[in-house]
Amino acid sequence: MKALAYHKFGGTDVLQIVEEPKPSIQSNQVLVKVKAVSINPMDWKIRKGEMKLMSGSTFPKHIGVDFAGIIEEAGTSSFTKGDEVFGVVKNSMKDGALAEYVAVSSTSVWKKPAAINFVQAASIPIVGAAAIAVLDKIGNLNADTQVLVNGATGGFGMFLLQLLKQKEVNITAVAGTNALAFAKEWGADSVLDYKKEDVLAGKKAYDIVVDLSGKMGYTNAKQIM
Ligand SMILES: NC(=O)c1ccc[n+]([C@@H]2O[C@H](COP(=O)([O-])OP(=O)(O)OC[C@H]3O[C@@H](n4cnc5c(N)ncnc54)[C@H](OP(=O)(O)O)[C@@H]3O)[C@@H](O)[C@H]2O)c1
């Protein structure tokens, strides 16, 4: 099968399409024919060697964690061949979903809801789970809670805004000019354009600041909390 792999850390030029054996499954695994893959910041951070402490420096490495596809071999699981699923690869630091097939534990895939397509399903796992984890850590929220989400319209923010909205908190979303409408659609009560305004220069204070841009930093965030 064809897969995307790399043998040294670097830019996108290190990526190569390689021929590899189709994976064979262990008893607790399923084989999925990949139809769609999403790319997350962690994919390029690992590729550039920015997460060496976690990824180690052994090669080849593959790329892509989230995928959606069709069950090809169900093993001993409750899935059947042909089921439409989405999921995550086993070892995100080494394995890759950018391949024709992936072998993964049957507990790392879920049935794809019929209402969404493969591309939509592949965009869910990493950012969806991260948004839920943030919400769990934030704890008690109510209608008076002022939350600022900086970098609110990437993959993570798309889920976090909608989950925060369900909690009926007051959300200020910071996004780029072209994404402000999305922020409103996903639940922001007010929006700031980071290309035109400096959120740190504003007078407003927030109970919670979630920085998904990776550019604000804790010391800056503290100033507006
Ligand atoms: N720990 C975990 O489990 C986990 C899971 C998922 C993600 N993450 C991390 O969470 C972060 C966000 O992930 P993501 O998937 O949402 O990334 P993303 O899709 O790249 O979103 C980042 C957003 O930040 C915006 N941005 C860029 N510069 C900004 C600035 N100066 N001020 C405000 N916003 C700015 C970008 O807007 P433009 O489109 O205008 O550039 C973009 O919408 C990443 O660092 C990622 O590694 C962690």
Side-chain angles (χ1 to χ4, degrees):
M1 67 164 190
K2 287 191 171 49
L4 208 61
Y6 56 104
H7 289 81
K8 61 179 179 185
F9 293 122
T12 48
D13 53 320
V14 300
L15 298 173
Q16 295 174 317
I17 295 174
V18 295
E19 200 61 45
E20 293 184 345
K22 190 171 162 184
S24 45
I25 57 168
Q26 294 162 5
S27 61
N28 63 337
Q29 289 186 315
V30 293
L31 184 71
V32 179
K33 183 167 174 51
V34 177
K35 301 285 283 180
V37 175
S38 74
I39 294 297
N40 290 283
M42 71 182 288
D43 295 310
W44 57 258
K45 288 179 188 175
I46 297 170
R47 192 202 65 225
K48 285 172 104 176
E50 289 180 9
M51 293 176 72
K52 264 183 215 161
L53 274 180
M54 288 167 80
S55 73
S57 300
T58 51
F59 296 97
K61 292 194 185 301
H62 298 78
I63 198 152
V65 178
D66 295 330
F67 63 85
I70 298 172
I71 296 280
E72 179 92 358
E73 290 174 32
T76 55
S77 73
S78 57
F79 291 105
T80 21
K81 185 173 174 174
D83 279 349
E84 297 184 347
V85 295
F86 67 112
V88 289
V89 296
K90 185 177 168 202
N91 179 349
S92 59
M93 298 294 148
K94 181 169 80 64
D95 302 335
L98 277 162
E100 286 181 272
Y101 295 91
V102 288
V104 291
S105 161
S106 58
T107 56
S108 297
V109 291
W110 304 274
K111 275 227 168 135
K112 179 180 82 58
I116 58 174
N117 63 34
F118 287 109
V119 171
Q120 290 167 326
S123 74
I124 295 174
I126 289 283
V127 286
I132 288 170
V134 164
L135 210 64
D136 285 349
K137 278 202 194 308
I138 285 177
N140 292 333
L141 298 167
N142 59 52
D144 294 327
T145 313
Q146 299 284 334
V147 183
L148 178 88
V149 182
N150 191 44
T153 50
F156 199 148
M158 174 177 69
F159 283 96
L160 187 60
L161 289 186
Q162 295 177 73
L163 291 170
L164 284 170
K165 197 65 211 165
Q166 286 181 7
K167 301 280 180 189
E168 299 180 346
V169 300
N170 189 287
I171 308 167
T172 301
V174 184
T177 318
N178 297 335
L180 295 175
F182 284 126
K184 284 186 187 151
E185 187 184 327
W186 297 332
D189 297 284
S190 45
V191 290
L192 283 173
D193 184 345
Y194 78 83
K195 296 190 175 169
K196 294 183 181 156
E197 295 170 73
D198 178 5
V199 59
L200 299 172
K203 297 257 183 299
K204 192 168 171 185
Y206 303 89
D207 299 301
I208 295 162
V209 174
V210 184
D211 178 31
L212 301 177
S213 76
K215 293 179 179 162
M216 181 178 266
Y218 180 68
T219 311
N220 285 329
K222 235 175 125 181
Q223 285 178 40
I224 51 168
M225 279 175 3

